[in-house]
Amino acid sequence: MEFRLNRETVPAEEVIYSGVQEQGVELDYILPDYYPDIVRLVRRDVLPVVSDWSVSGDRLTYGLKCEIRLLYCGEDGTEIRCVTQKQDYSKTVELGRSTTAPEVTLAAKSDHINFRAVNKRRLDVRGAVSVRIKVCSERSQEVVSDAFGMKKKKKKEPVRIETNRLCAEKTVQLSEEVTLTAAQPPAAEIVYRICSAGECEKKIVSGKLLAKGEIKTDILYSCGNGSLERMSFTLPYSQILDMEGIDDSYECTVRAEVLSCEITPSADKDGENRILRCEPELHITCRAVRTADILTAVDAYSTVYPCDVEYSVIQAKQLPAVYSESFRHSAVLAEAESVPKEIYALWCTPKNINTRIGEDGRSVMITGMLTYSMAARDSSGMMIMPDRDEAFEEQIEIGDDLTSASVTAELEDASVSYNISSEGILTAKADIPLRISVGSSASIRAVTAITVDDSVKKERDGDYAIKLYFGVENEDVWDIAKRYSTDAAAIMEENELTDEKLEKGRMLLIPIKE
């Protein structure tokens, strides 16, 4: 008897590298002549970002940019000065094997930073940043989609697979000018800035992708008289990415990241520094995926002949679903005499974020640290910029079944308000927006090969046309039919079953059919 198999090629992904690489940061800096002497150190920050990457054979190479910010006070102790330096690194990772069409995820963060004043004109910085690296490679897995002959029975299930993928990225240098309002004092120096790219709108136009959005910018500047001023504004952007072949049949995800942002006060026509020249460097990445449903065999047997079935677990990864959510967090920052005399700005930065699926399988648990920072003047009139770390745990309800999904969360910089109670307690409240990515990975055990021995037939334990069997709750009719080398559809018809799984334990009539 003729035996024939139909096969399908299923694209899948596998992780070929996952790890963390550390980079030491060192700076020995001598102040320029026009900077005042160092009297008191106020704050230090190191902001790392991955600027680019490439894979050649079994080696990943990426660029790492670190912006070092050092804030100090001069002789009068009231005016903050800012020293900014940039360091670029090129790093290499051995992946262990060559890969084509890799998907690379790189996330940089600051670990520990120490700084000190060697003397009144010299600053010394020592610290480290780390980059979390994940590299996935595309592979093809051949599976059996159908089988014919030799009294073969097969169980098939639909699997959504990726039929095509398009990727594009673009780095662009923008330039905008922002004018201070009449109520705001002129800017002497930018002391602190936070720039982030929020949600990105996308539109497909004639084989190209239009990405639009805004860069949210929050700055703190000195006025030259010992006081600070806070200002928030947005910088719009609109960029076109070439993606040949893209159309509405693709699902797209677009991500924008600010690599750097230079903000410089400039004089207006009256000679006052009321113009801010903003030059952000923006990196935009897009991934577009086209999918299709195929039927693949997940199990098989012959009712007459012995056979061997080989299986393989395939992971047909899909474009992640993105959920925009938010939550509120509050923290007590100071009490009684430790409450600052004057607060100029207060902000909140997330770090060390971890995610996991909740016990109910339909929510995401997010844990990590929130760093509350402020720019203030203490009771003695000195400028201070302290940090306070607060651990948090938040449960976000998604509603969908997440049991076989992978989840990640990206928290954005929060909007923060504060209140000083009549009892002298400083409390901050942060509204924190976040994006949750849910990667659905269709994990299924698929049949990859079937071998039938047609030289001999299966032996039964007796000559009968029907058999009694007591099935248990949730038992699969297919498994019962396979055990007795009969037909699952015949069992369902004989026992008037409407579901492929038994709703409760019951006696079944098993018709023996070849």
Side-chain angles (χ1 to χ4, degrees):
M1 184 180 293
E2 182 184 0
F3 178 61
R4 180 166 55 88
L5 295 178
N6 288 351
R7 299 180 182 273
E8 289 273 3
T9 299
V10 178
E13 286 186 331
E14 60 179 334
V15 178
I16 64 170
Y17 183 88
S18 180
V20 177
Q21 194 171 47
E22 195 172 85
Q23 171 64 49
V25 176
E26 298 183 0
L27 176 66
D28 186 5
Y29 184 76
I30 299 176
L31 295 176
D33 294 340
Y34 51 85
Y35 271 70
D37 288 348
I38 302 168
V39 172
R40 182 169 56 89
L41 298 176
V42 176
R43 185 180 179 85
R44 83 283 181 270
D45 290 292
V46 174
L47 307 177
V49 64
V50 175
S51 56
D52 59 85
W53 62 266
S54 63
V55 174
S56 178
D58 62 349
R59 180 172 295 183
L60 165 68
T61 302
Y62 64 91
L64 179 65
K65 291 185 176 182
C66 292
E67 182 177 301
I68 305 170
R69 298 179 190 167
L70 304 173
L71 278 69
Y72 74 95
C73 285
E75 293 181 1
D76 60 3
T78 60
E79 188 78 19
I80 287 186
R81 303 305 301 264
C82 179
V83 172
T84 302
Q85 291 290 295
K86 295 181 179 179
Q87 293 186 347
D88 295 339
Y89 306 93
S90 180
K91 303 289 289 182
T92 300
V93 180
E94 298 292 339
L95 302 178
R97 64 182 239 195
S98 297
T99 177
T100 57
E103 184 175 341
V104 180
T105 304
L106 300 161
K109 72 179 184 71
S110 175
D111 289 335
H112 59 274
I113 302 295
N114 298 309
F115 76 139
R116 65 188 181 95
V118 179
N119 55 45
K120 292 184 177 181
R121 308 293 303 170
R122 191 170 183 173
L123 290 164
D124 180 70
V125 180
R126 296 289 184 270
V129 300
S130 61
V131 180
R132 185 171 294 278
I133 306 165
K134 182 178 179 181
V135 182
C136 297
S137 177
E138 185 177 295
R139 64 181 177 87
S140 296
Q141 175 71 58
E142 196 173 68
V143 298
V144 174
S145 59
D146 217 335
F148 306 92
M150 296 294 183
K151 299 294 183 177
K152 183 61 63 181
K153 302 295 181 182
K154 64 270 183 183
K155 182 180 183 181
K156 298 196 291 185
E157 289 185 3
V159 178
R160 174 157 290 193
I161 65 170
E162 181 182 294
T163 59
N164 197 28
R165 179 194 302 175
L166 301 173
C167 297
E169 59 181 308
K170 185 177 185 180
T171 300
V172 60
Q173 185 76 49
L174 306 176
S175 181
E176 294 283 343
E177 288 188 352
V178 177
T179 303
L180 301 179
T181 66
Q184 294 172 314
E189 183 181 8
I190 305 299
V191 173
Y192 202 82
R193 68 182 182 277
I194 299 175
C195 300
S196 63
E199 291 288 340
C200 190
E201 298 180 16
K202 53 187 179 291
K203 185 177 181 181
I204 298 172
V205 182
S206 302
K208 300 180 185 295
L209 183 83
L210 174 64
K212 296 175 62 177
E214 293 180 331
I215 299 174
K216 302 174 184 177
T217 308
D218 200 2
I219 68 169
L220 192 67
Y221 67 86
S222 63
C223 305
N225 57 2
S227 64
L228 297 175
E229 186 78 13
R230 183 179 182 178
M231 182 181 182
S232 298
F233 53 90
T234 59
L235 303 172
Y237 66 86
S238 178
Q239 295 294 317
I240 293 177
L241 286 78
D242 290 323
M243 301 187 74
E244 186 177 352
I246 193 171
D247 55 33
D248 292 335
S249 64
Y250 285 84
E251 298 177 74
C252 301
T253 57
V254 182
R255 187 175 186 272
E257 182 181 18
V258 179
L259 300 182
S260 64
C261 187
E262 297 289 341
I263 302 178
T264 308
S266 300
D268 59 9
K269 61 181 181 181
D270 297 325
E272 292 186 321
N273 287 346
R274 307 192 65 82
I275 297 175
L276 302 179
R277 298 189 184 276
C278 306
E279 297 181 334
E281 184 179 14
L282 189 67
H283 185 70
I284 304 173
T285 57
C286 176
R287 182 187 176 205
V289 172
R290 178 189 284 160
T291 59
D293 289 322
I294 66 167
L295 284 173
T296 183
V298 297
D299 201 3
Y301 64 92
S302 172
T303 59
V304 176
Y305 303 101
C307 66
D308 291 325
V309 181
E310 295 180 13
Y311 306 91
S312 178
V313 177
I314 61 174
Q315 300 280 345
K317 189 175 180 181
Q318 304 298 304
L319 200 67
V322 179
Y323 299 83
S324 296
E325 302 287 344
S326 65
F327 67 93
R328 171 167 285 191
H329 184 270
S330 62
V332 175
L333 303 186
E335 298 183 41
E337 295 180 358
S338 62
V339 175
K341 178 181 178 181
E342 186 176 5
I343 299 176
Y344 296 102
L346 202 155
W347 62 95
C348 178
T349 306
K351 64 180 182 182
N352 300 334
I353 304 302
N354 295 295
T355 57
R356 71 178 190 275
I357 297 171
E359 293 182 359
D360 61 357
R362 294 182 175 275
S363 62
V364 177
M365 300 298 298
I366 304 173
T367 60
M369 300 293 292
L370 296 174
T371 300
Y372 288 87
S373 308
M374 74 172 80
R377 198 179 298 278
D378 64 17
S379 57
S380 66
M382 302 292 285
M383 292 298 305
I384 57 172
M385 297 185 72
D387 289 338
R388 184 182 181 90
D389 289 336
E390 292 283 336
F392 78 94
E393 181 177 77
E394 194 71 23
Q395 182 173 358
I396 305 296
E397 298 292 336
I398 300 298
D400 297 330
D401 185 7
L402 306 176
T403 51
S404 62
S406 61
V407 296
T408 58
E410 185 177 345
L411 278 66
E412 300 179 10
D413 294 320
S415 59
V416 184
S417 60
Y418 68 90
N419 176 66
I420 301 176
S421 68
S422 57
E423 292 82 12
I425 300 175
L426 171 60
T427 303
K429 292 182 179 180
D431 291 312
I432 303 170
L434 71 154
R435 288 194 295 266
I436 299 174
S437 295
V438 177
S440 60
S441 184
S443 177
I444 189 169
R445 191 184 75 157
V447 175
T448 55
I450 303 174
T451 305
V452 179
D453 183 4
D454 60 355
S455 63
V456 62
K457 291 187 176 183
K458 287 182 177 180
E459 292 185 3
R460 298 189 183 275
D461 58 359
D463 186 14
Y464 48 83
I466 200 163
K467 190 175 182 68
L468 288 175
Y469 173 78
F470 188 85
V472 299
E473 183 180 359
N474 291 324
E475 190 171 7
D476 199 316
V477 176
W478 168 270
D479 294 333
I480 300 172
K482 184 178 180 181
R483 183 181 303 121
Y484 291 103
S485 296
T486 188
D487 184 59
I491 296 177
M492 295 186 67
E493 181 180 356
E494 184 71 30
N495 295 276
E496 298 181 348
L497 298 175
T498 58
D499 199 333
E500 293 179 354
K501 288 184 181 291
L502 300 181
E503 295 182 357
K504 60 182 180 179
R506 55 168 291 184
M507 189 66 71
L508 298 175
L509 296 175
I510 310 298
I512 305 303
K513 292 188 176 183
E514 294 185 357

